[in-house]
Structure formats: structure tokens, C-alpha cells
């Protein structure tokens, strides 16, 4: 016990020195709250030092005198009986074989459980893959149906405006005019064909309907495609408005990037004074908003 208090006594001196230095630094830096706190710790440490010193002094007893034993005295160690170390029983071959068999059974059970878990994971993965494939197939089917419907609609729109034309020299002139405008003013636009028909609803002669079929071969999104087709159509209609005998214009557009081989848009214009007014627009579902 006296050793414990002696150790405490030795430890308190550096602690007291630490708190004393910290307190002085705090007062120098004008941090009085922290300095007072350090002084409190210093006082507490000093109290522990005093108590430890008192207890240590009180527990020190007189030094016992050690008497020499006679030479012929018998040591008590001789009377101590050392027990013999117990020997562990030997494991027989049969016991070893039984333990090995149990371990083998455990390994087999573990392997079986791992196999079942793997099969379950594979089953779940296969089910998820099947669902994904079904959803993809349904999506592809829906797209194919929409594409087919668009083709049918495009054909119907084409048939609505294509009427038998009379052979005359004016249709050749207007065809050349359309092709010239497309070649000079448009970018990556090809003229598939140009139909020039008589306006059956008018009783006057030299009253024509121009039906250009154009192809824009650019890979753009739906919004950009709509904007470019409308801009080109308005430009062509404005140019053809200079031809006084052109009363109606219907422009058909094919965009292979979205729908190959079929019309994807139609813009209709009618004469309004010296210009052309847009009266109808048809867009395939693929490029609608």
C-alpha cells in the first residue's frame, strides 16, 4: 500500500508544475477564467500530494531484522509434495476416424447450402432478365405498331393531295423552279419528285397546285427536325408565291433517320394576296412534341 501512495506522490509533482505553468501563461495572456481554472486544478493536485505524503509516512513501519537460519535447519520446501502431472488419454484411431467423418459431413452440408443459395440467386436473376426481355419486346412491338401506323397515315395523306394532272408545259417549268430553290437554298435536301396538278376546285385556267416531295437526310432530334422542316417549307412557299398561277402548295417531307421510305411531315399553303398562308400541318407521331 505504501508503494502506491509513494507513486502517487511522485506523479503529483509534474502535474502541479504543469498546472502552475498553464495558469501563469493564462494570466499573462489576460485569460483570467482559464487561469483561475488552472489554479483550482493546482490546488486540488497539491491537496492530493499532501494526503499522499501523510499516508505514505504513516504506513512506513520499522525495518524487520532478518535472522540467519542454522545450517542444519531443514527447508520447508522438502515437505511440499509436488503432484504428478496428469497424462492426457490417447485418442484411438476409431475416434480420429469418427471426428474426420463428422467434419466431412459438415463440409458436405455447407457445400449443399452454398449450392442452394447459388441456385436461388440464379433463379432470381433469370426471372429479372425474363421480365426485362418481356418489357423490351413489348416496347419494340409498340414502336413497330406506331411505325406501321405512321406509314399508313403517310400514305393516306399523300393520296389525299395527289390528283391526276394534265400534261402541260407549265408543270415542267414549276418543277425546275422547285428543284432550283432546293439546290441553291437548302442544305442536305434532295428532291424526290414534284407534282404539278390543276386546281379542280377552280373554274379559271392557269390555277395550279404544286406538291414537292423532299428528303432531308440529317440525323437530328425530333424538335430540331420539326424546326428545320418548317423553316424550309416556309422558305419554299415564299419563293413559289412569286409564281402567280400557283394557288396551293403541299410539301411532303421524308426524313430517313426517323422513318425511312415514308413521309414524316406535310405542310399546306394557300395563296393569300401576293404571298402564301400556312393552312395545315401534319406531323408523324415520331416527331411530335
Amino acid at each position: 500500500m505504501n508503494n502506491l501512495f509513494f507513486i502517487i506522490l511522485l506523479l503529483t509533482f509534474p502535474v502541479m508544475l504543469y498546472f502552475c505553468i498553464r495558469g501563469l501563461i493564462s494570466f499573462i495572456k489576460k485569460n483570467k477564467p482559464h487561469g483561475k481554472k488552472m489554479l483550482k486544478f493546482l490546488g486540488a493536485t497539491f491537496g492530493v500530494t499532501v494526503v499522499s505524503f501523510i499516508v505514505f509516512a504513516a504506513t512506513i513501519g520499522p525495518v524487520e531484522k532478518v535472522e540467519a537460519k542454522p545450517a542444519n535447519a531443514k527447508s520447508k520446501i522438502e515437505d511440499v509434495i509436488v503432484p504428478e502431472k496428469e497424462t492426457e488419454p490417447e485418442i484411438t484411431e476409431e475416434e480420429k476416424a469418427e471426428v474426420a467423418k463428422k467434419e466431412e459431413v459438415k463440409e458436405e452440408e455447407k457445400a449443399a447450402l452454398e449450392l442452394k443459395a447459388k441456385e436461388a440467386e440464379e433463379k432470381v436473376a433469370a426471372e429479372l432478365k425474363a421480365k426485362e426481355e418481356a418489357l423490351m419486346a413489348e416496347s419494340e412491338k409498340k414502336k413497330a405498331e406506331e411505325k406501321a401506323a405512321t406509314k399508313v397515315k403517310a400514305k393516306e395523306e399523300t393520296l389525299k393531295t395527289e390528283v391526276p394532272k394534265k400534261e402541260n408545259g407549265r408543270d415542267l417549268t414549276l418543277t425546275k423552279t422547285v428543284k432550283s430553290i432546293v439546290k441553291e437554298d437548302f442544305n442536305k435536301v434532295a428532291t424526290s419528285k414534284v407534282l404539278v396538278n390543276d386546281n379542280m376546285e377552280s373554274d379559271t385556267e392557269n390555277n395550279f397546285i404544286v406538291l414537292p416531295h423532299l428528303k432531308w437526310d440529317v440525323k437530328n432530334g425530333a424538335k430540331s427536325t420539326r424546326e428545320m422542316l418548317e423553316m424550309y417549307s416556309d422558305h419554299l412557299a415564299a419563293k413559289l408565291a412569286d409564281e402567280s398561277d400557283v394557288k396551293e402548295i403541299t410539301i411532303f417531307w421524308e426524313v430517313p433517320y426517323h422513318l425511312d421510305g415514308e413521309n414524316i411531315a406535310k405542310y399546306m399553303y394557300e395563296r393569300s394576296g401576293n404571298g402564301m398562308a400556312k393552312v395545315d400541318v401534319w406531323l408523324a407521331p415520331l416527331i411530335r412534341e
Side-chain angles (χ1 to χ4, degrees):
M1 181 63 72
N2 54 354
N3 291 336
L4 176 62
F5 286 108
F6 180 69
I7 293 171
I8 295 173
L9 182 62
L10 292 177
L11 292 175
T12 53
F13 284 110
V15 175
M16 286 171 52
L17 181 60
Y18 169 78
F19 287 133
C20 183
I21 294 172
R22 288 296 301 274
L24 289 174
I25 293 172
S26 298
F27 280 113
I28 291 171
K29 292 184 178 180
K30 296 183 180 180
N31 189 357
K32 291 183 179 181
H34 188 264
K36 290 179 180 181
K37 187 177 180 181
M38 293 295 104
L39 289 179
K40 288 180 181 179
F41 288 151
L42 177 61
T45 307
F46 180 73
V48 173
T49 304
V50 172
V51 173
S52 300
F53 181 76
I54 294 171
V55 174
F56 175 70
T59 53
I60 296 176
V63 180
E64 294 180 358
K65 185 177 181 182
V66 181
E67 296 180 356
K69 293 183 180 181
N72 57 353
K74 292 184 178 180
S75 176
K76 293 183 179 180
I77 298 176
E78 296 178 357
D79 298 334
V80 178
I81 300 174
V82 180
E84 294 182 0
K85 188 177 180 180
E86 295 181 359
T87 57
E88 296 180 358
E90 295 183 0
I91 301 174
T92 62
E93 292 297 330
E94 294 179 357
E95 290 176 341
K96 289 181 180 179
E98 187 177 352
V99 171
K101 188 176 181 181
K102 289 181 180 180
E103 292 294 332
E104 186 178 352
V105 171
K106 288 182 180 179
E107 291 296 329
E108 290 177 355
E109 291 177 352
K110 183 179 179 181
L113 290 173
E114 291 177 352
L115 181 61
K116 286 182 180 179
K118 186 176 180 181
E119 290 176 352
E121 290 177 0
E122 291 176 351
K123 185 177 180 181
V124 172
E127 291 176 354
L128 290 174
K129 186 177 180 181
K131 288 181 180 179
E132 290 177 358
E133 291 177 350
L135 290 173
M136 290 179 64
E138 186 177 351
S139 176
E140 292 295 330
K141 183 179 178 181
K142 188 176 180 180
K143 287 181 180 178
E145 291 175 352
E146 289 180 354
K147 192 172 182 179
T150 301
K151 287 185 177 181
V152 172
K153 184 68 177 178
K155 288 181 179 179
E156 291 175 355
E157 293 293 331
T158 303
L159 292 174
K160 284 180 184 178
T161 53
E162 290 185 356
V163 295
K165 67 174 183 178
K166 294 180 180 180
E167 294 293 336
N168 55 68
R170 184 57 175 154
D171 64 336
L172 298 176
T173 304
L174 290 174
T175 298
K176 289 181 180 179
T177 300
V178 171
K179 290 182 177 180
S180 176
I181 295 170
V182 170
K183 183 178 180 181
E184 293 177 3
D185 299 347
F186 295 169
N187 183 30
K188 294 187 178 180
V189 177
T191 304
S192 300
K193 62 181 177 180
V194 179
L195 301 176
V196 180
N197 297 331
D198 289 330
N199 188 355
M200 298 299 182
E201 296 180 358
S202 176
D203 296 332
T204 60
E205 294 183 357
N206 298 326
N207 194 337
F208 298 104
I209 301 172
V210 181
L211 299 96
H213 289 252
L214 308 178
K215 181 187 291 186
W216 188 53
D217 195 9
V218 177
K219 296 180 180 180
N220 269 357
K223 183 180 178 181
S224 298
T225 299
R226 288 196 310 271
E227 293 173 351
M228 292 300 298
L229 297 185
E230 185 171 12
M231 182 183 71
Y232 283 155
S233 298
D234 291 346
H235 180 78
L236 180 58
K239 286 280 189 177
L240 290 176
D242 296 337
E243 306 293 334
S244 59
D245 53 355
V246 176
K247 304 302 180 182
E248 295 181 16
I249 304 170
T250 302
I251 305 172
F252 296 89
W253 286 97
E254 179 187 346
V255 183
Y257 176 67
H258 292 286
L259 184 64
D260 190 16
E262 298 295 340
N263 294 326
I264 200 169
K266 180 183 75 172
Y267 295 85
M268 296 181 66
Y269 301 84
E270 290 182 355
R271 179 165 291 280
S272 177
N274 293 327
M276 288 288 176
K278 191 187 302 178
V279 295
D280 188 29
V281 176
W282 173 82
L283 298 173
L286 295 171
I287 61 170
R288 290 176 188 169
E289 293 183 359

